[in-house]
């Protein structure tokens, strides 16, 4: 047995020596095919070139700019909103699906890293060889040999060209892409929950305004009916007032429908449709809208997870291209086999015959109809597509941020005018009641004033909603995240 092992080792060493020169020749021949660092590119540099300069629209400084990416919705001082967001982050089914995709990517990464290790198989078997009719014993039974065998096999392919490393890099980048995908969905989910929450609150407040205005209108209707009996008003005046009331009731039905639809959307986003839901405030009250700190366009590359996801996809595609190129190169593998053969199970422990076999092989693709070359072309086209997608994601981030800044500025200016009109309308409503009681107001003017007062009140509430929604879009455009992300990624571009 020792002699067998010694011979196997000598044979393996001779094979290794012969293969060394062969591998050197392969290295020289493959210089034009093996991926090298000069073919790689800095994906971060692409983004920085696109994000040079400044935004087309700049926000005026407001406050201390202390708002951070971490939990911007909590800084709006709305406990009910916090409850809705927390419920959505816990129960939203689409978010759970994105987390499942992340788990798949991590498992795939583990599979890729496991390829670095050798593959080992174990087997056991038994066989019986009969002697036939000539070996029949005098007892009339056939004689034969029973052999039991234990075998251990190991195979390993040497990674001279870095194929496994490229595959692992691709898998790791796909994990990063899935992580950024989860974060991007979280940001969108929080923004959508927040927007629908404030829409619901605004609709409730507008319904409250209608109820308030209906109370005033019904009181005025009663005054008109009383004066009609006294001959101080006409049926036309009463009809106009009743029409005003009916219009208010019709508007309340529309708003109620919108409110129910918004609540249904909120329940869907929170994953609680048909179950208990968090409360909703009846008015927006004092909503805090802290101003984000000023950033440069290039910072969006680090703050927007959708941009980082596109970058990770691009890096994964570049690694896949390197894998495709290495498939043109030879593969070198070693196979080792060791085992024991004995007659009968007891022989396995009582001095069995052992053996060791080893084999070293190198193989090179000669012809496959151009399939692997076409695979390289496919990977190159895929990378070219993702370069454009990466650039598009950066341009979209710049567009979203500029548009959100414009909306914040314009909605702020509009809200100032609407709130001023609302204040004047409230004064006018008070004067209207005094003049109506004193008989110094005709009923045509009454209808006009009631309409103006209600329109101003309703427009102010809608204007505040527009201002809040614009701020939410700005937080989303700036990459408002669950955790603040440092800007070190701007300093060093990763090779991809």
């Amino acid at each position: 047995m020792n002699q067998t092992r010694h011979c196997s080792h000598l044979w393996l060493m001779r094979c290794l020596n012969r293969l060394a020169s062969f591998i050197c020749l392969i290295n020289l021949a493959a210089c034009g095919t093996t991926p090298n660092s000069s073919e790689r590119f800095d994906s971060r540099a692409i983004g920085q070139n696109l994000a040079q300069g400044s935004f087309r629209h700049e926000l005026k400084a407001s406050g201390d700019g202390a708002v951070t990416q971490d939990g911007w919705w909590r800084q709006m001082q709305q406990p009910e909103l916090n409850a809705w967001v927390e419920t959505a982050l816990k129960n939203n089914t689409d978010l759970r699906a994105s987390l499942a995709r992340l788990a798949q990517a991590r498992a795939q990464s583990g599979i890729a890293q496991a390829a670095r290790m050798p593959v080992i198989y174990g087997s056991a078997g038994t066989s019986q060889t009969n002697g036939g009719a000539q070996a029949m014993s005098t007892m009339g039974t056939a004689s034969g040999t029973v052999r039991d065998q234990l075998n251990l096999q190991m195979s390993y392919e040497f990674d001279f060209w870095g194929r496994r490393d490229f595959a692992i890099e691709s898998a790791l980048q796909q994990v990063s892409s899935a992580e950024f995908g989860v974060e991007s969905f979280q940001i969108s989910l929080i923004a959508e929950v927040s927007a629908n929450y404030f829409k619901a609150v605004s609709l409730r407040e507008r319904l409250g305004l209608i109820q308030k205005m209906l109370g005033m209108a019904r009181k005025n209707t009663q005054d008109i009916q009383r004066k009609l009996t006294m001959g101080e008003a006409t049926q036309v005046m009463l009809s106009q007032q009743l029409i005003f009331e009916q219009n208010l009731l019709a508007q309340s039905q529309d708003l109620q429908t919108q409110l129910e639809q918004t609540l249904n959307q909120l329940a869907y986003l929170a994953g609680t449709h048909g179950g208990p839901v968090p409360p909703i405030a009846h008015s927006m009250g004092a909503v805090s809208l802290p101003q984000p700190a000023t950033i440069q366009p290039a910072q969006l590359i680090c703050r927007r997870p959708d941009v980082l996801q596109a970058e990770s996809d691009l890096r994964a595609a570049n690694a896949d291209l390197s894998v495709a190129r290495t498939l043109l190169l030879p593969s070198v593998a070693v196979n080792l086999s060791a085992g024991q053969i004995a007659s009968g199970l007891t022989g396995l422990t009582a001095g069995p015959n052992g053996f060791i076999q080893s084999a070293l092989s190198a193989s090179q693709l000669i012809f496959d109809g151009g399939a692997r070359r076409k695979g390289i072309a496919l990977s190159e086209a895929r990378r070219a597509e993702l370069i454009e997608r990466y650039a598009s994601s950066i341009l979209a981030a710049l567009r979203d941020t500029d548009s959100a800044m414009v909306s914040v500025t314009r909605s702020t200016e509009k809200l100032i005018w609407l709130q001023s009109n609302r204040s004047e309308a409230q004064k006018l409503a008070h004067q209207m009641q005094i003049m109506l009681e004193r008989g110094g107001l005709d009923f045509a003017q009454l209808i006009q004033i009631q309409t103006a007062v209600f329109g101003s009140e309703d427009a102010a509430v809608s204007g505040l909603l527009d201002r809040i929604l614009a701020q939410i879009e700005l937080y989303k455009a700036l990459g408002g995240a669950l955790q603040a992300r440092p800007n070190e990624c701007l300093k060093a571009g990763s090779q991809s």
Side-chain angles (χ1 to χ4, degrees), residues 32 40 60 65 79 135 149 178 228 245 265 278 283 328 363 440 461 465 485 490:
R40 300 182 183 182
K60 296 179 180 179
Q149 181 176 338
L228 181 62
E245 281 187 39
Q265 179 66 11
S283 65
L328 295 176
S363 61
V461 175
L465 175 64
R485 185 180 295 107
L490 293 175

Side-chain angles (χ1 to χ4, degrees), residues 13-52:
M13 292 302 297
R14 286 197 298 269
C15 289
L16 289 174
N17 290 332
R18 292 175 181 175
L19 192 62
S21 57
F22 177 63
I23 291 175
C24 291
L25 293 175
I26 292 175
N27 276 316
L28 293 174
C31 287
T33 308
T34 307
N36 55 71
S37 59
S38 64
E39 293 178 334
R40 300 182 183 182
F41 57 88
D42 188 351
S43 60
R44 187 58 49 76
I46 297 175
Q48 291 178 346
N49 290 335
L50 288 171
Q52 287 180 351

Side-chain angles (χ1 to χ4, degrees), residues 9-120:
H9 293 161
L10 290 177
W11 177 86
L12 180 60
M13 292 302 297
R14 286 197 298 269
C15 289
L16 289 174
N17 290 332
R18 292 175 181 175
L19 192 62
S21 57
F22 177 63
I23 291 175
C24 291
L25 293 175
I26 292 175
N27 276 316
L28 293 174
C31 287
T33 308
T34 307
N36 55 71
S37 59
S38 64
E39 293 178 334
R40 300 182 183 182
F41 57 88
D42 188 351
S43 60
R44 187 58 49 76
I46 297 175
Q48 291 178 346
N49 290 335
L50 288 171
Q52 287 180 351
S54 59
F55 291 112
R56 297 176 61 189
H57 186 89
E58 296 290 345
L59 288 176
K60 296 179 180 179
S62 175
D64 57 4
V67 65
T68 65
Q69 291 175 294
D70 184 13
W72 54 263
W73 62 94
R74 300 189 186 97
Q75 301 181 40
M76 303 182 84
Q77 307 299 323
Q78 297 288 312
E80 296 87 354
L81 172 61
N82 296 341
W84 276 99
V85 171
E86 291 171 3
T87 302
L89 291 176
K90 180 180 178 181
N91 298 328
N92 184 269
T93 54
D94 291 329
L95 178 56
R96 289 178 178 177
S98 65
L99 290 171
R101 287 191 293 271
L102 174 58
Q104 294 174 41
R106 287 173 175 167
Q108 190 64 42
S109 174
I111 294 173
Q113 295 184 60
R116 282 178 169 170
M117 307 302 294
V119 179
I120 300 176

